[in-house]
Amino acid sequence: RLLRQRLAATACAQHFPMLRLLIAFCLIGIVLSSSLSFKIDAHKEECFYDDVINPGQKVFFAYQVTQGGALDIDVTVYDPSDDVLYLQERETDSRVLLVAADKGTHKFCFSNRMSTLTAKSVMFQIVVGDPSENPKKKTAVTATVDRSIMRMTEALNEIRIEQSYLRTRERVHRDTAESTNARVLWGSVVQSTAMVALSAIQMFYLKRCFETRRNV
Amino acid sequence: FFFGLQLFFMLRLICLLALCTLCTSFEFDLDANSFKCFIEELPENEEVRGSFSAASGYSQAIDMKISNPQGEVVVEAKGRDKDDFNLWTTLPGDYNFCFYNRLVAGVKQHSGLKRSLTFKLAIGQEAKDYEQLARKEHLKPLEVMLRMMEDGVRDVYSTYHYFKQREAELRDTSETANTRALWITIINTSVFVGFAFWQVNHLKRYFVTKKLIGG
């Protein structure tokens, strides 16, 4: 479930093998601490574009529906020639590592077509890997300090990934709880008023029935 | 000299990173006379750096507004085609990054009138300029890495702390809802039962007065 991103500057490794520190530095993976969220209305489609500079580059794409209806959304990713790279229907959340075969502008579309009235809030994250990335090359890092630092950085990245997932889950729970709270209050108020009103109407109607009967 | 060489390559790398590989960056279309808002939940005392740039657009002006959790506008840019901003969060909560596409007066709107905006956002550790820091404090690459990690850990901690507080609030809300549900059920039931008794009593008295039944 954990997806890792490695940012490996092999340019460094190839030309200056003595700069191990730099390599270790380069291997700091990209894990963003931010996921922007936006609102998508019913029957609308929102698209975002991102450029891929090198063919074969890895693109990390994650999204999560935090509010609205059944918390589902259709997602399509198009490559520069408008072919579908990734398609997922009615998912609440997903995390994928796509491989962009062509370079150019890729289109990431969210569609709320299945919703009749409710607008949805979606959190998403698109991270395009480093241009000089080469995931197959693993650099040999010998110094203890370098290895420690690398391990720590990887651990930190994993913490960040999990944290961002938990953040969005917490937000969804919070919205649910607040909605429950409001619903409990208003539902009960409506319920009580309805019951009292109905009983009163019932009674007065009955009284009227007997009165008219008497008149007759 | 060796240190200089190392520094040079490190700076080159950091420059690469500064091309926003370490930040949120995407493009989107904004139709004329419409707006798009992006929401980001931020803890307090967090540095946010970002920029937007708009592709050419015929008679459409782009406004940007960033508002804090209380709804006050903290950063505003009117009619600019591109702008950078720097923001220190004082309050924790939802920050709105809104873009408006204003049609210049006198132009009629027709479909297809839109501008393409590129939005870049770097939060916390992503926003720090390590190149400048390294130059100013003469740091070795290893030290820069350690600094990056230190800032990263601090970010993780402050985010964790903020969400711990939010979770406490969530717990309070849930417990309030629970208590409310209980009390409301009790009150409702007693009201119904009481009202039912009153109803029957009232009708009985009514029938007695109307001499329909003996009383």
mmCIF file of all heavy atoms in Angstrom, chain B residues 132-163:
data_model
loop_
_atom_site.group_PDB
_atom_site.id
_atom_site.type_symbol
_atom_site.label_atom_id
_atom_site.label_comp_id
_atom_site.label_asym_id
_atom_site.label_seq_id
_atom_site.Cartn_x
_atom_site.Cartn_y
_atom_site.Cartn_z
ATOM 1 N N GLN B 132 19.923 29.359 -0.963
ATOM 2 C CA GLN B 132 20.321 30.601 -0.307
ATOM 3 C C GLN B 132 20.908 30.324 1.078
ATOM 4 O O GLN B 132 21.906 30.906 1.486
ATOM 5 C CB GLN B 132 19.084 31.479 -0.167
ATOM 6 C CG GLN B 132 19.395 32.946 -0.133
ATOM 7 C CD GLN B 132 18.133 33.743 0.070
ATOM 8 O OE1 GLN B 132 17.294 33.383 0.893
ATOM 9 N NE2 GLN B 132 17.996 34.820 -0.652
ATOM 10 N N LEU B 133 20.274 29.418 1.774
ATOM 11 C CA LEU B 133 20.714 29.057 3.117
ATOM 12 C C LEU B 133 22.128 28.480 3.086
ATOM 13 O O LEU B 133 22.986 28.820 3.897
ATOM 14 C CB LEU B 133 19.733 28.042 3.706
ATOM 15 C CG LEU B 133 19.896 27.726 5.188
ATOM 16 C CD1 LEU B 133 19.381 28.888 6.010
ATOM 17 C CD2 LEU B 133 19.157 26.454 5.538
ATOM 18 N N ALA B 134 22.349 27.607 2.103
ATOM 19 C CA ALA B 134 23.665 26.979 2.001
ATOM 20 C C ALA B 134 24.738 28.030 1.725
ATOM 21 O O ALA B 134 25.822 28.001 2.286
ATOM 22 C CB ALA B 134 23.649 25.941 0.894
ATOM 23 N N ARG B 135 24.407 28.966 0.856
ATOM 24 C CA ARG B 135 25.370 30.009 0.521
ATOM 25 C C ARG B 135 25.633 30.911 1.709
ATOM 26 O O ARG B 135 26.765 31.239 2.018
ATOM 27 C CB ARG B 135 24.849 30.847 -0.634
ATOM 28 C CG ARG B 135 25.511 30.502 -1.944
ATOM 29 C CD ARG B 135 25.193 31.543 -2.937
ATOM 30 N NE ARG B 135 23.735 31.642 -3.074
ATOM 31 C CZ ARG B 135 23.118 31.755 -4.226
ATOM 32 N NH1 ARG B 135 23.813 31.786 -5.330
ATOM 33 N NH2 ARG B 135 21.821 31.858 -4.289
ATOM 34 N N LYS B 136 24.577 31.262 2.405
ATOM 35 C CA LYS B 136 24.712 32.220 3.502
ATOM 36 C C LYS B 136 25.495 31.612 4.660
ATOM 37 O O LYS B 136 26.328 32.257 5.263
ATOM 38 C CB LYS B 136 23.311 32.632 3.978
ATOM 39 C CG LYS B 136 23.293 33.958 4.721
ATOM 40 C CD LYS B 136 21.874 34.448 4.945
ATOM 41 C CE LYS B 136 21.183 33.587 5.977
ATOM 42 N NZ LYS B 136 19.912 34.178 6.447
ATOM 43 N N GLU B 137 25.187 30.385 5.008
ATOM 44 C CA GLU B 137 25.815 29.795 6.179
ATOM 45 C C GLU B 137 26.960 28.865 5.818
ATOM 46 O O GLU B 137 27.495 28.185 6.689
ATOM 47 C CB GLU B 137 24.767 29.025 6.985
ATOM 48 C CG GLU B 137 23.663 29.931 7.521
ATOM 49 C CD GLU B 137 22.731 29.201 8.470
ATOM 50 O OE1 GLU B 137 23.118 28.135 8.982
ATOM 51 O OE2 GLU B 137 21.618 29.694 8.699
ATOM 52 N N HIS B 138 27.322 28.816 4.542
ATOM 53 C CA HIS B 138 28.438 27.981 4.074
ATOM 54 C C HIS B 138 28.278 26.548 4.544
ATOM 55 O O HIS B 138 29.135 25.998 5.241
ATOM 56 C CB HIS B 138 29.778 28.552 4.549
ATOM 57 C CG HIS B 138 29.956 29.988 4.154
ATOM 58 N ND1 HIS B 138 30.131 30.383 2.846
ATOM 59 C CD2 HIS B 138 29.914 31.122 4.887
ATOM 60 C CE1 HIS B 138 30.216 31.702 2.803
ATOM 61 N NE2 HIS B 138 30.086 32.183 4.025
ATOM 62 N N LEU B 139 27.164 25.948 4.190
ATOM 63 C CA LEU B 139 26.903 24.591 4.632
ATOM 64 C C LEU B 139 27.396 23.569 3.634
ATOM 65 O O LEU B 139 27.336 23.781 2.437
ATOM 66 C CB LEU B 139 25.392 24.392 4.835
ATOM 67 C CG LEU B 139 24.722 25.215 5.925
ATOM 68 C CD1 LEU B 139 23.229 25.001 5.862
ATOM 69 C CD2 LEU B 139 25.243 24.826 7.284
ATOM 70 N N LYS B 140 27.859 22.449 4.156
ATOM 71 C CA LYS B 140 28.243 21.350 3.285
ATOM 72 C C LYS B 140 26.958 20.638 2.830
ATOM 73 O O LYS B 140 25.925 20.751 3.484
ATOM 74 C CB LYS B 140 29.137 20.384 4.051
ATOM 75 C CG LYS B 140 30.468 21.005 4.469
ATOM 76 C CD LYS B 140 31.512 19.916 4.693
ATOM 77 C CE LYS B 140 31.430 19.386 6.103
ATOM 78 N NZ LYS B 140 32.220 20.037 7.106
ATOM 79 N N PRO B 141 27.044 19.885 1.732
ATOM 80 C CA PRO B 141 25.825 19.211 1.241
ATOM 81 C C PRO B 141 25.172 18.334 2.286
ATOM 82 O O PRO B 141 23.945 18.294 2.406
ATOM 83 C CB PRO B 141 26.346 18.364 0.073
ATOM 84 C CG PRO B 141 27.557 19.054 -0.380
ATOM 85 C CD PRO B 141 28.177 19.704 0.810
ATOM 86 N N LEU B 142 25.998 17.641 3.074
ATOM 87 C CA LEU B 142 25.441 16.790 4.118
ATOM 88 C C LEU B 142 24.648 17.611 5.126
ATOM 89 O O LEU B 142 23.558 17.230 5.556
ATOM 90 C CB LEU B 142 26.582 16.049 4.823
ATOM 91 C CG LEU B 142 26.172 15.022 5.872
ATOM 92 C CD1 LEU B 142 25.386 13.917 5.212
ATOM 93 C CD2 LEU B 142 27.378 14.473 6.578
ATOM 94 N N GLU B 143 25.197 18.778 5.449
ATOM 95 C CA GLU B 143 24.512 19.623 6.417
ATOM 96 C C GLU B 143 23.198 20.135 5.850
ATOM 97 O O GLU B 143 22.198 20.254 6.565
ATOM 98 C CB GLU B 143 25.416 20.787 6.821
ATOM 99 C CG GLU B 143 26.580 20.340 7.690
ATOM 100 C CD GLU B 143 27.602 21.442 7.889
ATOM 101 O OE1 GLU B 143 27.371 22.563 7.393
ATOM 102 O OE2 GLU B 143 28.630 21.177 8.520
ATOM 103 N N VAL B 144 23.199 20.424 4.561
ATOM 104 C CA VAL B 144 21.952 20.894 3.939
ATOM 105 C C VAL B 144 20.901 19.791 4.007
ATOM 106 O O VAL B 144 19.737 20.036 4.328
ATOM 107 C CB VAL B 144 22.185 21.310 2.475
ATOM 108 C CG1 VAL B 144 20.880 21.683 1.807
ATOM 109 C CG2 VAL B 144 23.158 22.451 2.403
ATOM 110 N N MET B 145 21.348 18.561 3.722
ATOM 111 C CA MET B 145 20.422 17.433 3.795
ATOM 112 C C MET B 145 19.848 17.279 5.187
ATOM 113 O O MET B 145 18.652 17.046 5.361
ATOM 114 C CB MET B 145 21.159 16.148 3.445
ATOM 115 C CG MET B 145 20.945 15.705 2.053
ATOM 116 S SD MET B 145 21.909 14.271 1.700
ATOM 117 C CE MET B 145 21.232 13.124 2.857
ATOM 118 N N LEU B 146 20.737 17.418 6.164
ATOM 119 C CA LEU B 146 20.265 17.285 7.536
ATOM 120 C C LEU B 146 19.286 18.385 7.881
ATOM 121 O O LEU B 146 18.294 18.163 8.567
ATOM 122 C CB LEU B 146 21.460 17.283 8.499
ATOM 123 C CG LEU B 146 22.295 16.013 8.466
ATOM 124 C CD1 LEU B 146 23.553 16.187 9.295
ATOM 125 C CD2 LEU B 146 21.507 14.826 8.983
ATOM 126 N N ARG B 147 19.588 19.569 7.385
ATOM 127 C CA ARG B 147 18.658 20.674 7.617
ATOM 128 C C ARG B 147 17.298 20.390 6.996
ATOM 129 O O ARG B 147 16.248 20.642 7.581
ATOM 130 C CB ARG B 147 19.189 21.962 6.993
ATOM 131 C CG ARG B 147 20.193 22.699 7.772
ATOM 132 C CD ARG B 147 19.580 23.337 9.010
ATOM 133 N NE ARG B 147 20.601 24.021 9.763
ATOM 134 C CZ ARG B 147 20.889 25.301 9.633
ATOM 135 N NH1 ARG B 147 20.200 26.028 8.771
ATOM 136 N NH2 ARG B 147 21.843 25.844 10.337
ATOM 137 N N MET B 148 17.336 19.842 5.774
ATOM 138 C CA MET B 148 16.083 19.522 5.084
ATOM 139 C C MET B 148 15.288 18.517 5.886
ATOM 140 O O MET B 148 14.071 18.634 6.032
ATOM 141 C CB MET B 148 16.375 18.951 3.686
ATOM 142 C CG MET B 148 16.646 20.009 2.666
ATOM 143 S SD MET B 148 16.920 19.308 1.031
ATOM 144 C CE MET B 148 15.267 18.924 0.532
ATOM 145 N N MET B 149 16.008 17.543 6.402
ATOM 146 C CA MET B 149 15.309 16.527 7.191
ATOM 147 C C MET B 149 14.759 17.118 8.466
ATOM 148 O O MET B 149 13.644 16.804 8.876
ATOM 149 C CB MET B 149 16.263 15.381 7.515
ATOM 150 C CG MET B 149 16.059 14.243 6.577
ATOM 151 S SD MET B 149 16.467 12.732 7.352
ATOM 152 C CE MET B 149 18.177 13.025 7.605
ATOM 153 N N GLU B 150 15.545 17.968 9.080
ATOM 154 C CA GLU B 150 15.101 18.609 10.309
ATOM 155 C C GLU B 150 13.811 19.378 10.063
ATOM 156 O O GLU B 150 12.850 19.273 10.820
ATOM 157 C CB GLU B 150 16.210 19.559 10.771
ATOM 158 C CG GLU B 150 16.055 20.046 12.183
ATOM 159 C CD GLU B 150 17.140 21.054 12.527
ATOM 160 O OE1 GLU B 150 18.213 21.038 11.877
ATOM 161 O OE2 GLU B 150 16.888 21.858 13.436
ATOM 162 N N ASP B 151 13.801 20.144 8.971
ATOM 163 C CA ASP B 151 12.599 20.905 8.646
ATOM 164 C C ASP B 151 11.441 19.975 8.305
ATOM 165 O O ASP B 151 10.290 20.240 8.666
ATOM 166 C CB ASP B 151 12.858 21.840 7.459
ATOM 167 C CG ASP B 151 13.849 22.934 7.822
ATOM 168 O OD1 ASP B 151 13.927 23.279 9.013
ATOM 169 O OD2 ASP B 151 14.542 23.424 6.915
ATOM 170 N N GLY B 152 11.766 18.894 7.626
ATOM 171 C CA GLY B 152 10.728 17.926 7.284
ATOM 172 C C GLY B 152 10.104 17.329 8.520
ATOM 173 O O GLY B 152 8.875 17.213 8.619
ATOM 174 N N VAL B 153 10.935 16.986 9.469
ATOM 175 C CA VAL B 153 10.412 16.400 10.709
ATOM 176 C C VAL B 153 9.575 17.426 11.466
ATOM 177 O O VAL B 153 8.520 17.112 12.007
ATOM 178 C CB VAL B 153 11.571 15.881 11.587
ATOM 179 C CG1 VAL B 153 11.079 15.516 12.963
ATOM 180 C CG2 VAL B 153 12.222 14.672 10.941
ATOM 181 N N ARG B 154 10.036 18.653 11.460
ATOM 182 C CA ARG B 154 9.284 19.692 12.147
ATOM 183 C C ARG B 154 7.917 19.880 11.510
ATOM 184 O O ARG B 154 6.901 20.032 12.192
ATOM 185 C CB ARG B 154 10.053 21.011 12.149
ATOM 186 C CG ARG B 154 9.572 21.965 13.232
ATOM 187 C CD ARG B 154 10.388 23.219 13.288
ATOM 188 N NE ARG B 154 11.777 22.967 13.608
ATOM 189 C CZ ARG B 154 12.793 23.449 12.908
ATOM 190 N NH1 ARG B 154 12.579 24.185 11.845
ATOM 191 N NH2 ARG B 154 14.033 23.171 13.254
ATOM 192 N N ASP B 155 7.889 19.826 10.184
ATOM 193 C CA ASP B 155 6.622 19.916 9.446
ATOM 194 C C ASP B 155 5.680 18.800 9.845
ATOM 195 O O ASP B 155 4.503 19.017 10.138
ATOM 196 C CB ASP B 155 6.892 19.768 7.942
ATOM 197 C CG ASP B 155 6.902 21.100 7.258
ATOM 198 O OD1 ASP B 155 6.849 22.117 7.972
ATOM 199 O OD2 ASP B 155 6.972 21.116 6.029
ATOM 200 N N VAL B 156 6.243 17.579 9.833
ATOM 201 C CA VAL B 156 5.427 16.419 10.170
ATOM 202 C C VAL B 156 4.868 16.580 11.570
ATOM 203 O O VAL B 156 3.688 16.332 11.821
ATOM 204 C CB VAL B 156 6.264 15.120 10.046
ATOM 205 C CG1 VAL B 156 5.545 13.960 10.685
ATOM 206 C CG2 VAL B 156 6.551 14.796 8.604
ATOM 207 N N TYR B 157 5.717 17.030 12.469
ATOM 208 C CA TYR B 157 5.266 17.187 13.850
ATOM 209 C C TYR B 157 4.186 18.236 13.983
ATOM 210 O O TYR B 157 3.185 18.035 14.677
ATOM 211 C CB TYR B 157 6.438 17.515 14.782
ATOM 212 C CG TYR B 157 5.963 17.738 16.195
ATOM 213 C CD1 TYR B 157 5.530 16.660 16.962
ATOM 214 C CD2 TYR B 157 5.873 19.013 16.739
ATOM 215 C CE1 TYR B 157 5.032 16.852 18.230
ATOM 216 C CE2 TYR B 157 5.382 19.211 18.009
ATOM 217 C CZ TYR B 157 4.962 18.124 18.759
ATOM 218 O OH TYR B 157 4.465 18.316 20.004
ATOM 219 N N SER B 158 4.363 19.386 13.340
ATOM 220 C CA SER B 158 3.352 20.444 13.500
ATOM 221 C C SER B 158 2.037 20.032 12.864
ATOM 222 O O SER B 158 0.969 20.316 13.405
ATOM 223 C CB SER B 158 3.851 21.777 12.947
ATOM 224 O OG SER B 158 3.811 21.775 11.550
ATOM 225 N N THR B 159 2.103 19.317 11.738
ATOM 226 C CA THR B 159 0.866 18.827 11.129
ATOM 227 C C THR B 159 0.193 17.825 12.050
ATOM 228 O O THR B 159 -1.015 17.865 12.262
ATOM 229 C CB THR B 159 1.158 18.152 9.781
ATOM 230 O OG1 THR B 159 2.047 18.965 9.040
ATOM 231 C CG2 THR B 159 -0.102 17.928 8.984
ATOM 232 N N TYR B 160 0.994 16.931 12.617
ATOM 233 C CA TYR B 160 0.458 15.924 13.524
ATOM 234 C C TYR B 160 -0.199 16.584 14.720
ATOM 235 O O TYR B 160 -1.302 16.213 15.132
ATOM 236 C CB TYR B 160 1.587 14.999 13.965
ATOM 237 C CG TYR B 160 1.271 14.198 15.189
ATOM 238 C CD1 TYR B 160 0.439 13.089 15.104
ATOM 239 C CD2 TYR B 160 1.773 14.561 16.435
ATOM 240 C CE1 TYR B 160 0.127 12.360 16.226
ATOM 241 C CE2 TYR B 160 1.462 13.826 17.557
ATOM 242 C CZ TYR B 160 0.640 12.729 17.452
ATOM 243 O OH TYR B 160 0.323 12.014 18.566
ATOM 244 N N HIS B 161 0.459 17.578 15.272
ATOM 245 C CA HIS B 161 -0.057 18.280 16.441
ATOM 246 C C HIS B 161 -1.389 18.941 16.136
ATOM 247 O O HIS B 161 -2.351 18.853 16.899
ATOM 248 C CB HIS B 161 0.968 19.317 16.889
ATOM 249 C CG HIS B 161 0.641 19.945 18.192
ATOM 250 N ND1 HIS B 161 0.747 19.279 19.392
ATOM 251 C CD2 HIS B 161 0.189 21.184 18.487
ATOM 252 C CE1 HIS B 161 0.383 20.081 20.365
ATOM 253 N NE2 HIS B 161 0.044 21.242 19.852
ATOM 254 N N TYR B 162 -1.447 19.601 14.975
ATOM 255 C CA TYR B 162 -2.681 20.255 14.572
ATOM 256 C C TYR B 162 -3.810 19.255 14.413
ATOM 257 O O TYR B 162 -4.933 19.475 14.873
ATOM 258 C CB TYR B 162 -2.439 21.016 13.269
ATOM 259 C CG TYR B 162 -3.682 21.540 12.635
ATOM 260 C CD1 TYR B 162 -4.447 22.511 13.261
ATOM 261 C CD2 TYR B 162 -4.120 21.058 11.411
ATOM 262 C CE1 TYR B 162 -5.606 22.984 12.691
ATOM 263 C CE2 TYR B 162 -5.271 21.527 10.830
ATOM 264 C CZ TYR B 162 -6.009 22.494 11.474
ATOM 265 O OH TYR B 162 -7.149 22.951 10.894
ATOM 266 N N PHE B 163 -3.518 18.120 13.808
ATOM 267 C CA PHE B 163 -4.584 17.161 13.594
ATOM 268 C C PHE B 163 -4.964 16.423 14.870
ATOM 269 O O PHE B 163 -6.097 15.953 14.992
ATOM 270 C CB PHE B 163 -4.242 16.211 12.450
ATOM 271 C CG PHE B 163 -4.500 16.854 11.132
ATOM 272 C CD1 PHE B 163 -3.500 17.533 10.469
ATOM 273 C CD2 PHE B 163 -5.771 16.860 10.591
ATOM 274 C CE1 PHE B 163 -3.763 18.189 9.286
ATOM 275 C CE2 PHE B 163 -6.035 17.501 9.394
ATOM 276 C CZ PHE B 163 -5.033 18.174 8.754
#
